[in-house]
């Protein structure tokens, strides 16, 4: 496939990844959790019925009324890049795409039944073609992985925590569930970055996007090597006090910090996985039904174990020195997908009962649906924000 470059850049060939499965770009920890949740037959339908109090059509109409829907007549440059990103990922039908007025570099995939994508006008104005193609591929990756349904659950749990006493879990258990799902969400963002890499097939452009998200659009004053040095210092610099600050910064965040995302993308490319996928060695959608839950959970555990062994963080280093027990962290963290699956079984039963009450016109918290209720969203947002923040 031959596509146009940026400005005077010559056209270059971009590989079409025919039949590629979302498993190809999903981070192992993300993929393990998703595989476990997908095994809950009908769970997505229960979630959609339970949260059917939202008028998803009305939410789309709000963008139809106050944003620009992208097509060959409106933002034709964005439409061309969107089509190119979708072609590289072999997306049969592109979701609707809107551009909304905002000074923030932001993108999100929204919806349950028919997800659509929204990007800000700042992205259109500040990203070159290759950078924008990466961002659009990132959001297409979220749609392809079905992240919107599960992120909707997390958004609701976070916003309605005070009104969920009817669930068969206590407040402490609920916070533990939210923390675990936020950890999954952060890994899902790394999956989106990998989808963006496969869509744009330009690692340098992906890095530039993260640099712009961290420090603004003027890259003439930003050095790539220095930015990656920041990532290294963040990972291993300082002492135990810095480690505790990092835990505080990220524990309740939906997104990894930009330098960590840059470092993960660089490691993924350097590992040879990126080149292997572009070479045609990737899982196909036709084989998704044969995916093994136990194998994916083991892969998630191995991913955490490798990250634990590689990390230069002072606290992690101390845990390694304490003895072999620290090596079990990978199994414990990776097993979170299995624990999430058990909880989802219980939550699904509760949701089924609650859906009956919803159909009779009441919410689980005793109220009626209102304009202030949260909307399902899948956001490319900031590090250090809460689960509802949509800035990068």
């Amino acid at each position: 496939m031959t596509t146009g470059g940026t400005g005077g850049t010559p056209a270059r060939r971009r590989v079409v990844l025919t039949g590629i499965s979302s498993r190809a770009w999903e981070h192992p920890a993300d993929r393990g959790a998703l595989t476990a949740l997908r095994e809950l037959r009908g769970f997505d339908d229960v979630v959609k019925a339970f949260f059917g109090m939202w008028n998803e059509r009305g939410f789309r109409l709000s963008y139809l009324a106050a944003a620009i829907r992208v097509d060959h007549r409106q933002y034709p440059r964005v439409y061309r890049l969107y089509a190119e990103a979708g072609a590289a990922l072999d997306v049969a039908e592109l979701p609707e795409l809107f551009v909304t007025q905002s000074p923030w570099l932001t993108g999100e995939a929204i919806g349950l039944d028919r997800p659509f994508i929204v990007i800000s006008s700042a992205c259109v104005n500040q990203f070159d073609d290759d950078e924008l193609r990466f961002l659009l591929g990132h959001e297409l990756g979220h749609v392809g992985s079905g992240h919107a349904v599960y992120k909707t659950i997390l958004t609701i749990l976070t916003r309605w925590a005070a009104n969920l006493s009817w669930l068969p879990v206590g407040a402490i258990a609920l916070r533990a569930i939210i923390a675990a799902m936020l950890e999954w969400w952060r890994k899902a963002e790394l999956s989106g970055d990998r989808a963006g890499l496969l869509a744009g097939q330009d690692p340098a452009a992906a890095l530039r996007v993260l640099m712009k998200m961290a420090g603004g659009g003027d890259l003439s004053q930003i050095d790539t090597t220095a930015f990656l040095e920041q990532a290294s210092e963040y990972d291993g610099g300082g002492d135990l006090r810095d480690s505790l600050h990092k835990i505080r910064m990220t524990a309740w965040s939906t997104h990894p910090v930009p330098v960590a995302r840059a470092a993960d993308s660089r490691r993924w490319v350097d590992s040879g996985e990126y080149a292997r996928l572009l070479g045609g060695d990737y899982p196909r959608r036709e084989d998704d039904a044969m995916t093994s839950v136990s194998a994916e959970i083991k892969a998630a555990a191995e991913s955490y174990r490798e990250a634990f062994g590689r990390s230069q963080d002072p606290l992690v280093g101390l845990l390694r020195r304490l003895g072999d027990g620290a090596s079990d962290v990978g199994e414990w963290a990776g097993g979170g997908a299995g624990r999430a699956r058990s909880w989802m079984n219980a939550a699904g039963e509760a949701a089924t009962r609650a859906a009956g009450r919803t159909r009779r016109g009441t919410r689980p918290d005793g109220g009626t649906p209102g304009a202030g209720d949260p909307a399902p969203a899948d956001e490319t947002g900031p590090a250090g924000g809460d689960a509802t923040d949509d800035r990068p």
Side-chain angles (χ1 to χ4, degrees), residues 5-39:
T6 303
T9 304
R12 63 184 181 83
R13 187 168 297 276
R14 197 167 290 106
V15 176
V16 175
L17 302 169
T18 305
I20 190 170
S21 166
S22 64
R23 291 180 289 124
W25 61 72
E26 287 162 3
H27 185 281
D30 172 31
R31 190 170 63 243
L34 286 173
T35 301
L37 292 174
R38 288 164 183 157
E39 279 294 299

Side-chain angles (χ1 to χ4, degrees), residues 236-280:
D239 54 25
L240 290 176
R241 291 171 297 180
D242 295 293
S243 298
L244 295 176
H245 280 304
K246 283 190 283 186
I247 292 173
R248 177 186 60 81
M249 288 166 53
T250 59
W252 300 101
S253 170
T254 59
H255 292 66
V257 292
V259 294
R261 291 172 66 178
D264 182 82
S265 294
R266 174 61 64 90
R267 278 194 300 269
W268 191 63
V269 171
D270 291 346
S271 72
E273 182 74 3
Y274 169 73
R276 183 177 67 80
L277 295 175
L278 291 185

Side-chain angles (χ1 to χ4, degrees), residues 53-67 96 98 108-112 114-118 152 155 159 370-379 390:
M53 62 192 68
W54 288 316
N55 186 336
E56 188 171 328
R57 293 175 63 89
F59 194 66
R60 171 185 169 274
L61 281 173
S62 69
Y63 283 98
L64 197 63
E96 281 187 301
F98 293 90
E108 53 187 330
I110 303 171
L112 300 178
R114 296 184 62 189
F116 58 93
I117 293 172
V118 180
T152 296
T155 301
R159 294 183 178 183
D373 287 339
D378 175 6
E379 303 165 338
D390 65 354

Side-chain angles (χ1 to χ4, degrees), residues 34-308:
L34 286 173
T35 301
L37 292 174
R38 288 164 183 157
E39 279 294 299
L40 301 178
R41 304 303 180 191
F43 179 72
D44 290 5
D45 293 333
V46 172
V47 171
K48 293 172 185 177
F50 176 45
F51 299 121
M53 62 192 68
W54 288 316
N55 186 336
E56 188 171 328
R57 293 175 63 89
F59 194 66
R60 171 185 169 274
L61 281 173
S62 69
Y63 283 98
L64 197 63
I68 300 297
R69 182 168 60 187
V70 175
D71 59 21
H72 66 282
R73 298 162 299 174
Q74 301 194 107
Y75 284 115
R77 165 184 169 250
V78 177
Y79 182 72
R80 171 177 60 82
L81 298 172
Y82 189 43
E84 290 173 3
L89 296 178
D90 195 24
V91 177
E93 183 178 355
L94 290 172
E96 281 187 301
L97 174 64
F98 293 90
V99 173
T100 186
Q101 174 64 30
S102 172
W104 303 103
L105 296 173
T106 175
E108 53 187 330
I110 303 171
L112 300 178
D113 291 314
R114 296 184 62 189
F116 58 93
I117 293 172
V118 180
I119 64 173
S120 68
S121 56
C123 293
V124 176
N125 295 330
Q126 295 187 39
F127 288 162
D128 66 27
D129 285 7
D130 293 324
E131 295 161 2
L132 193 53
R133 196 181 292 109
F134 165 80
L135 174 69
L136 294 168
H138 176 109
E139 298 305 333
L140 283 172
H142 282 316
V143 173
S145 291
H147 286 146
V149 171
Y150 306 114
K151 288 188 177 182
T152 296
I153 300 169
L154 178 54
T155 301
I156 294 159
L157 288 180
T158 303
R159 294 183 178 183
W160 287 2
N163 298 318
L164 289 177
S165 58
W166 57 274
L167 279 175
V169 293
I172 294 177
L174 179 60
R175 287 181 65 85
I177 291 167
I178 293 173
M181 293 191 75
L182 281 168
E183 166 61 15
W184 160 71
W185 193 329
R186 290 189 290 272
K187 294 302 186 289
E189 287 304 317
L190 300 181
S191 299
D193 287 345
R194 295 176 181 188
L197 279 165
L198 293 173
Q201 300 175 20
D202 187 343
L207 182 58
R208 292 198 304 271
V209 167
L210 296 171
M211 292 167 68
K212 286 183 176 181
M213 287 181 170
D218 184 7
L219 293 186
S220 67
Q221 302 187 62
I222 303 175
D223 182 77
T224 301
T225 302
F227 184 71
L228 293 174
E229 287 174 357
Q230 283 183 232
S232 179
E233 182 176 345
Y234 174 81
D235 181 43
D239 54 25
L240 290 176
R241 291 171 297 180
D242 295 293
S243 298
L244 295 176
H245 280 304
K246 283 190 283 186
I247 292 173
R248 177 186 60 81
M249 288 166 53
T250 59
W252 300 101
S253 170
T254 59
H255 292 66
V257 292
V259 294
R261 291 172 66 178
D264 182 82
S265 294
R266 174 61 64 90
R267 278 194 300 269
W268 191 63
V269 171
D270 291 346
S271 72
E273 182 74 3
Y274 169 73
R276 183 177 67 80
L277 295 175
L278 291 185
D281 184 9
Y282 53 78
R284 263 63 176 182
R285 288 191 290 265
E286 61 190 27
D287 298 324
D288 283 349
M290 296 184 289
T291 304
S292 166
V293 176
S294 60
E296 297 296 357
I297 290 178
K298 287 179 181 178
E302 181 61 27
S303 170
Y304 277 106
R305 189 161 46 245
E306 290 178 359
F308 187 83

